[in-house]
Amino acid sequence: MALQPFLALGAILFGIGLYGALTKRNLIIVLISVEMMLNAANINLVAFSHFAVTPNVDGQVYALFNIAIAAAEVAVGLAILLSFFRIRNSSDVRDVNLMKW
Amino acid sequence: MANALGFLTFSDVWRSMGPEIIVIGGAFLIMLVELFLPASLKRVSPWLAVLALVASATVLVVRLGAAVTTYSTSAYIVDDFGSIFKLIILIATLLVILLAIADRSAESLPYEYSYLVLFATGGAMVISSGVDLVTLYVGLELLSIASYILVALYRKSARSAEGGLKYLIIGSIASACILYGLSFLYGVGGSTNLGQIGVNLQSGWTNYSGILYLSLGFVLVGIGIKVSVVPFHLWTPDVYEGAPTPVTAYLAVVSKAAVLAFFLRVFVWIYGQKFGQWGDIVAWLSVITMIVGNIGALPQRNVKRILAYSSVGQVGYLLLPFAAVGSTTLLNDMWQALSSIAFYLFAYMFMTIGAFAVFAKVAEARASEDIDAFAGLYRRSPFLAGMMAVFLLSLAGLPLTAGFFGKFMIFLVAFNAGQYWLGVILFATSAIAFYYYFGILRAMFTREPAGDQERVRSSPTLVVVVALCALGTLALGIAPSPLMDVLNGLHWFG
């Protein structure tokens, strides 16, 4: 195996995540899309860690840190989404519209 | 590399991370104490946070100017650059917590803020000193995640929840962009340590310049979102409006200072040496940020949104010295640019937190954030009106205030670098800014108060916060030399 397929997978995942985060209407899907973007970076890190000129474990350790951080981020995200849902009774991006310009 | 984990004693850790240990340990302690305190005693928890911040700042100041030391196989460095940013972050957090204590509006903040702010501050301090991609990213996320919660802290308020949600989504996209960019940097550099990456890139980086450009682009976009540089600033007014006012002040000062430290550290150590053109990119970003930020404030009626757009414009000023100096190889120019950024951050901290403090009180008294709430403030509270005038004139950059001197130093950096056009745009946008600050001044001093004439009573804590900020603003404007001497004596990156 070479490095390129992994980087391509990462790029595709990042692209799908970014597209989803910017266009999807359901806030839960938006959060999942953001998670995909973070995981794209993790795939990159692990791939680089294995295929580097001098392979080292730094990238894999970095990826482990990121997994923990992403979990914290999504937990906070869902909590805020829940408090928004209680007030507005909606999880649609189009209802996040009290403040504009 | 010889002394890996096993030989790191507690005294080593204490010498390197003393201030951070106090802040984060204090946060955990307050979290526990707050849980067991009876409801009537919960109001001591912010004062415990104040105690932790003062202790941390004392430890930090004692060590300022000490020799540069690195720890834990160079994941963490104690240099003057980190120390000065930490000092700004600690003072700003202290003022914000005092403001939150003073802000006893009907819908007061839940006391959880006292330790959430400390966690965010701990993250901001880690960013200032981290020289490892892992350390930097963990610090950034600690700051960001705690800030998301802080913005959404009014659980019953739709605006607060909406602001929190917007901040969360935009902020996580920014984090993901930064992380994706850093992963390419790791791939090319073969290490997560900034120093090691720099060494590895010395030889044969041109083979990978494409990947490095990609990495630079993603990191720049992510940082641009976090500090609200113009094409990525649209979330700023909404989040600032929705957040509780003390939290808004926190986002405007601490969050920006910390991410700016991240930007300077990564760019000076890695990208700056490789790309001559990156200074130009930042120069253009700085110019459009100054212009759009200041023009965006013109049509606003909500004072919080005016201050939010004004803080977008101020980021343009903060980026300018760096854009002007760009890829210089002269150490002296670099140091001058860094000290002008640090000076302006001090000025920005005092005037912004002061303005938000006065705003919090006025908005509470009138239950309105509109500019009309300021009408006739001079009659209702001469003290608040006078102080607000000082902050606004300083934000606009009138002489004898900190804002003027800070802008003057930034102008000098641009002038010395031969980038006269940046200096011209700096003053042109300041003139635009004066127009909307003048709208608030006119409302305060010339218009009659709408509705009741009742005086605005400010609590002693609020008076202390406002007076401290005004003192800082005027002292830095009238006698800037003490701070200047300190900044000029620093060794920055050692």
Side-chain angles (χ1 to χ4, degrees):
Chain A
M1 287 291 271
L3 173 61
Q4 283 79 3
F6 291 98
L7 292 190
L9 175 64
I12 292 169
L13 212 54
F14 190 84
I16 296 174
L18 188 61
Y19 176 79
L22 296 178
T23 58
K24 287 295 166 191
R25 287 173 179 172
N26 189 316
L27 284 163
I28 294 176
I29 307 284
V30 171
L31 284 180
I32 293 174
S33 303
V34 171
E35 290 301 298
M36 284 172 73
M37 293 169 75
L38 290 169
N39 282 323
N42 284 344
I43 289 178
N44 264 6
L45 286 170
V46 175
F48 277 130
S49 146
H50 188 266
F51 290 103
V53 186
T54 52
N56 56 53
V57 80
D58 289 4
Q60 296 173 33
V61 175
Y62 199 173
L64 284 177
F65 271 94
N66 294 337
I67 292 169
I69 290 172
E73 194 156 351
V74 83
V76 168
L78 287 175
I80 295 177
L81 182 55
L82 203 62
S83 91
F84 179 80
F85 185 78
R86 282 198 183 137
I87 297 167
R88 299 295 302 273
N89 218 358
S90 156
S91 63
D92 193 317
V93 169
R94 285 167 296 181
D95 288 328
V96 191
N97 59 0
L98 279 182
M99 297 172 288
K100 281 183 202 159
W101 296 109
Chain B
M1 286 287 175
N3 63 334
L5 294 172
F7 297 97
L8 206 64
T9 60
F10 180 75
S11 71
D12 284 339
V13 178
W14 172 255
R15 262 182 289 137
S16 60
M17 306 187 73
E20 287 85 345
I21 291 175
I22 296 175
V23 166
I24 296 193
F28 276 117
L29 204 68
I30 295 168
M31 192 159 97
L32 273 180
V33 169
E34 205 257 359
L35 202 61
F36 295 111
L37 278 179
S40 57
L41 279 176
K42 280 202 195 296
R43 65 195 152 78
V44 299
S45 59
W47 290 105
L48 291 176
V50 168
L51 207 65
L53 288 169
V54 171
S56 169
T58 316
V59 174
L60 186 70
V61 169
V62 169
R63 289 177 187 165
L64 197 62
V68 173
T69 36
T70 56
Y71 294 93
S72 182
T73 56
S74 313
Y76 212 74
I77 189 169
V78 181
D79 56 3
D80 286 349
F81 172 82
S83 298
I84 208 76
F85 269 90
K86 279 187 234 174
L87 192 63
I88 294 171
I89 288 164
L90 283 174
I91 298 176
T93 312
L94 191 67
L95 290 170
V96 166
I97 290 197
L98 287 176
L99 168 58
I101 293 172
D103 182 24
R104 301 282 71 191
S105 44
E107 189 184 29
S108 65
L109 274 173
Y111 286 108
E112 280 86 356
Y113 76 85
S114 43
Y115 55 84
L116 286 172
V117 166
L118 285 192
F119 279 127
T121 302
M125 291 166 78
V126 169
I127 297 175
S128 319
S129 271
V131 283
D132 192 281
L133 299 182
V134 181
T135 322
L136 282 169
Y137 186 72
V138 170
L140 185 70
E141 284 299 275
L142 183 54
L143 169 67
S144 307
I145 295 178
S147 314
Y148 305 148
I149 309 175
L150 280 169
V151 171
L153 211 52
Y154 282 157
R155 286 197 301 133
K156 299 276 183 320
S157 152
R159 281 171 187 269
S160 183
E162 183 179 319
L165 204 51
K166 280 181 180 165
Y167 193 35
L168 174 96
I169 291 169
I170 308 270
S172 335
I173 293 176
S175 299
C177 282
I178 292 179
L179 184 62
Y180 197 60
L182 292 183
S183 76
F184 283 117
L185 188 59
Y186 165 71
V188 180
S191 167
T192 52
N193 184 278
L194 287 186
Q196 191 65 42
I197 294 173
V199 172
N200 290 352
L201 287 184
Q202 291 294 334
S203 52
W205 74 277
T206 38
N207 302 340
Y208 307 108
S209 59
I211 297 182
L212 220 50
Y213 270 111
L214 203 65
S215 153
L216 169 80
F218 277 111
V219 174
L220 199 61
V221 168
I223 287 176
I225 297 174
K226 292 257 177 198
V227 294
S228 55
V229 165
V230 149
F232 319 109
H233 72 293
L234 285 168
W235 60 274
T236 316
D238 291 0
V239 172
Y240 281 23
E241 187 190 340
T245 307
V247 176
T248 312
Y250 187 84
L251 293 183
V253 178
V254 179
S255 188
K256 276 185 187 173
V259 181
L260 209 61
F262 182 108
F263 170 78
L264 294 178
R265 180 80 78 182
V266 175
F267 275 69
V268 173
W269 282 42
I270 306 291
Y271 298 118
Q273 302 162 1
K274 307 297 168 217
F275 303 122
Q277 318 90 310
W278 79 273
D280 294 336
I281 306 172
V282 180
W284 280 109
L285 284 178
S286 152
V287 165
I288 52 172
T289 305
M290 286 189 281
I291 295 175
V292 176
N294 282 312
I295 289 181
L298 289 177
Q300 299 298 332
R301 295 285 302 162
N302 182 320
V303 176
K304 217 169 176 181
R305 290 180 86 85
I306 294 182
L307 290 174
Y309 272 107
S310 138
S311 89
V312 172
Q314 307 280 345
V315 171
Y317 306 145
L318 283 169
L319 288 180
L320 201 148
F322 228 73
V325 175
S327 50
T328 182
T329 50
L330 292 175
L331 228 47
N332 241 346
D333 284 359
M334 188 69 91
W335 286 182
Q336 201 199 0
L338 285 175
S339 55
S340 77
I341 293 178
F343 188 94
Y344 199 76
L345 268 175
F346 269 105
Y348 174 68
M349 164 179 86
F350 285 123
M351 56 206 190
T352 309
I353 296 181
F356 276 117
V358 176
F359 165 80
K361 186 67 205 172
V362 173
E364 182 210 325
R366 276 277 187 264
S368 153
E369 296 183 342
D370 199 81
I371 201 166
D372 291 331
F374 278 83
L377 186 65
Y378 178 63
R379 303 265 179 76
R380 290 156 55 215
S381 173
F383 171 73
L384 286 183
M387 295 293 114
M388 188 70 173
V390 170
F391 301 134
L392 291 180
L393 291 178
S394 177
L395 281 167
L398 245 67
L400 289 184
T401 60
F404 170 76
F405 206 83
K407 274 182 190 160
F408 185 67
M409 281 182 65
I410 291 172
F411 179 74
L412 275 187
V413 172
F415 192 78
N416 286 344
Q419 307 266 33
Y420 306 111
W421 65 290
L422 287 176
V424 170
I425 291 177
L426 169 70
F427 279 109
T429 49
S430 301
I432 302 174
F434 191 70
Y435 181 79
Y436 57 83
Y437 294 130
F438 191 71
I440 304 177
L441 286 177
R442 204 180 49 191
M444 286 196 304
F445 288 102
T446 64
R447 280 169 55 191
E448 289 298 313
D452 62 81
Q453 299 267 351
E454 200 183 337
R455 290 179 64 84
V456 179
R457 296 189 185 284
S458 18
S459 64
T461 330
L462 186 82
V463 172
V464 169
V465 176
V466 173
L468 277 179
C469 291
L471 194 70
T473 310
L474 290 174
L476 290 184
I478 295 168
S481 46
L483 180 60
M484 289 291 307
D485 290 344
V486 172
L487 291 178
N488 286 336
L490 293 181
H491 301 294
W492 299 103
F493 298 115

